[in-house]
């Protein structure tokens, strides 16, 4: 196993397979389609949306962009989602979060058809994940699972410690590891004795959003470390949630920041869109 888990390289390999699948589907008359909806002018959201559009173009996926003004009403947004739900060219609908305050995020996410919910945030898809019969799985945790798989990490019987219990990363990744037969501990801000809990882990997954809070000496010798955190320190530097240099001395494998989990997230969005298109093609 490579010591540094190279998310960029794994993502590039996956994107090649995705592009091949897209070409095959397109030849059968089922070009995968992703609708991306952005409400407002949030600069970070604009960057994410343009990255997603570019990635779709590179893979040959049809992307349908909807850039709406910040004053768009909830009713207008819901009616667009309704249209996209019944649009036959669209396999995936992505509403970029966060939404402006006057729009109820949960209501919008629940309006997306579960069959087009490529972000995997609809309660139906969350329920499918909990019951061990997933349909669409959320992109960041799913990307983590692919990285572990590509790196040859078998989770059966392993102690996995997840730090962070958000709905988009911590909770779903814990469920995914459980489905792979790991023994999972899910930690959060009220966890007592966090350092000692992490010290037990064969696999540590840190998704906290606090620069280098998981210390190198918390890492068991030979553990695998997945660092989801993206924290800006100073003008330009990005660091993860794990003290990388110290942790890599003890880990058998570790993801860097940047270049680890980050590149996998958009890749999994493309992957999910293609999975949706395959289901559409099969039901023709
Ligand atoms: P959230 O802020 O939603 O969740 C953070 C979690 O960390 C919470 O569950 C919180 O606990 C827990 N936490 C906070 N402080 C501590 C502490 N001192 N000890 C233990 N647990 C603590 O973050 P996200 O899950 O959305 O994101 C986590 C990180 O991952 C961020 O840096 C984010 O930028 C990054 N990220 C990266 C992605 C990528 O593609 N690479 C995608 C998504 C996120 P509690 O619930 O008790 O408050």
């Amino acid at each position: 196993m490579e010591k540094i888990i190279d998310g960029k390289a794994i993502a590039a390999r996956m994107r090649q397979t995705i592009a091949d699948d897209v070409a095959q589907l397109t030849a059968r008359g089922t070009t995968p389609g992703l609708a991306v909806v952005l409400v407002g002018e949030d600069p970070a959201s604009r960057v994410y949306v343009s990255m997603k559009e570019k990635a779709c173009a590179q893979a040959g996926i049809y992307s349908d962009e909807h850039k709406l003004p910040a004053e768009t009403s909830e009713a207008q947004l819901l009616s667009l989602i309704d249209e996209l739900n019944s649009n036959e060219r669209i396999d995936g609908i992505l509403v970029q979060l966060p939404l402006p305050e006057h729009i109820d995020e949960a209501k919008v996410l629940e309006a997306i058809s579960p069959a087009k919910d490529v972000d995997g945030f609809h309660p139906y898809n969350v329920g499918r994940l909990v019951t061990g019969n997933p349909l669409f799985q959320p992109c960041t945790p799913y990307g983590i699972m692919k990285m572990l798989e590509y790196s040859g990490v078998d989770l059966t019987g392993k102690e996995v410690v997840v730090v962070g219990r958000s709905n988009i990363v911590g909770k779903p990744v814990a469920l995914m590891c459980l489905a792979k037969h790991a023994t999972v501990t899910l930690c959060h801000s009220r966890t007592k004795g966090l350092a000692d809990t992490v010290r037990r882990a064969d696999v540590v997954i840190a998704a906290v959003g606090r620069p280098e809070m998981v210390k190198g000496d918390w890492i068991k010798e030979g553990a695998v470390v997945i660092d989801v955190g993206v924290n800006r320190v100073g003008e330009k530097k990005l660091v993860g949630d794990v003290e990388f240099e110290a942790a890599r001395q003890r880990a058998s494998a570790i993801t860097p920041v940047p270049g680890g989990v980050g590149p996998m997230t958009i890749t999994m969005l493309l992957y999910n869109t293609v999975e949706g298109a395959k289901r559409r093609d099969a039901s023709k």
Side-chain angles (χ1 to χ4, degrees):
M1 181 165 40
E2 291 286 329
K3 179 125 186 178
I4 302 296
I5 302 179
D6 184 345
K8 253 175 140 169
I10 298 170
R13 276 169 67 188
M14 284 194 71
R15 286 192 197 200
Q16 188 54 55
T17 311
I18 289 167
D20 293 346
D21 284 356
V22 172
Q24 277 190 24
L25 284 159
T26 300
R28 295 170 51 83
T30 314
T31 303
L34 176 68
V36 181
V37 182
L38 172 66
V39 186
E41 303 288 331
D42 180 64
S45 294
R46 291 184 84 92
V47 172
Y48 292 137
V49 163
S50 69
M51 282 164 70
K52 288 168 187 174
E53 285 160 1
K54 199 168 139 214
C56 280
Q58 278 168 355
I61 293 174
Y62 161 65
S63 97
D64 179 24
E65 302 148 24
H66 297 267
K67 292 187 175 136
L68 310 177
E71 56 276 12
T72 303
S73 70
E74 189 179 283
Q76 283 168 322
L77 181 57
L78 291 173
S79 116
L80 170 64
I81 290 173
D82 217 30
E83 252 172 71
L84 295 169
N85 280 342
S86 50
N87 182 336
E88 287 177 3
R89 290 189 68 187
I90 298 300
D91 298 293
I93 302 170
L94 180 138
V95 177
Q96 185 65 44
L97 301 178
L99 288 168
E101 274 185 7
H102 65 277
I103 299 180
D104 180 345
E105 211 160 270
K107 201 166 168 186
V108 170
L109 295 181
E110 288 183 35
I112 297 172
S113 161
K116 296 191 178 187
D117 171 39
V118 279
D119 256 341
F121 294 157
H122 190 289
Y124 175 84
N125 279 313
V126 177
R128 293 274 300 240
L129 178 61
V130 174
T131 51
N133 178 28
L135 183 65
F136 281 120
Q137 306 194 62
C139 298
T140 301
Y142 201 9
I144 294 170
M145 300 312 284
K146 289 286 178 192
M147 290 179 103
L148 291 170
E149 190 185 312
Y150 270 72
S151 307
V153 178
D154 178 6
L155 291 178
T156 308
K158 298 272 166 60
E159 286 259 6
V160 174
V161 173
V162 179
V163 191
R165 58 172 163 181
S166 73
N167 287 331
I168 62 167
V169 190
K171 257 187 238 172
V173 86
L175 288 161
M176 290 175 195
C177 291
L178 190 62
K180 294 285 180 198
H181 313 298
T183 302
V184 183
T185 305
L186 187 48
C187 305
H188 47 79
S189 66
R190 321 286 168 86
T191 296
K192 294 206 171 79
L194 181 64
D196 284 336
T197 305
V198 173
R199 283 191 179 105
R200 288 204 317 256
D202 301 308
V203 178
V204 181
I205 302 175
V208 184
R210 289 175 173 242
E212 300 182 327
M213 73 151 288
V214 174
K215 303 300 171 202
D217 70 3
W218 297 6
I219 305 301
K220 183 166 86 175
E221 202 65 48
V224 173
V225 179
I226 305 289
D227 190 349
V228 189
V230 182
N231 308 290
R232 194 167 289 281
V233 291
E235 274 287 290
K236 285 210 170 124
K237 199 171 174 226
L238 284 184
V239 299
D241 289 343
V242 179
E243 217 179 30
F244 180 80
E245 280 308 328
R248 77 184 287 187
Q249 308 299 325
R250 304 167 74 108
S252 61
I254 184 167
T255 61
V257 177
V261 176
M264 295 299 291
T265 297
I266 293 185
T267 303
M268 298 316 294
L269 176 67
L270 305 178
Y271 181 92
N272 278 349
T273 303
V274 171
E275 289 302 295
K278 284 181 183 167
R279 288 195 277 271
R280 169 159 65 98
D281 188 63
S283 69
K284 265 185 179 170

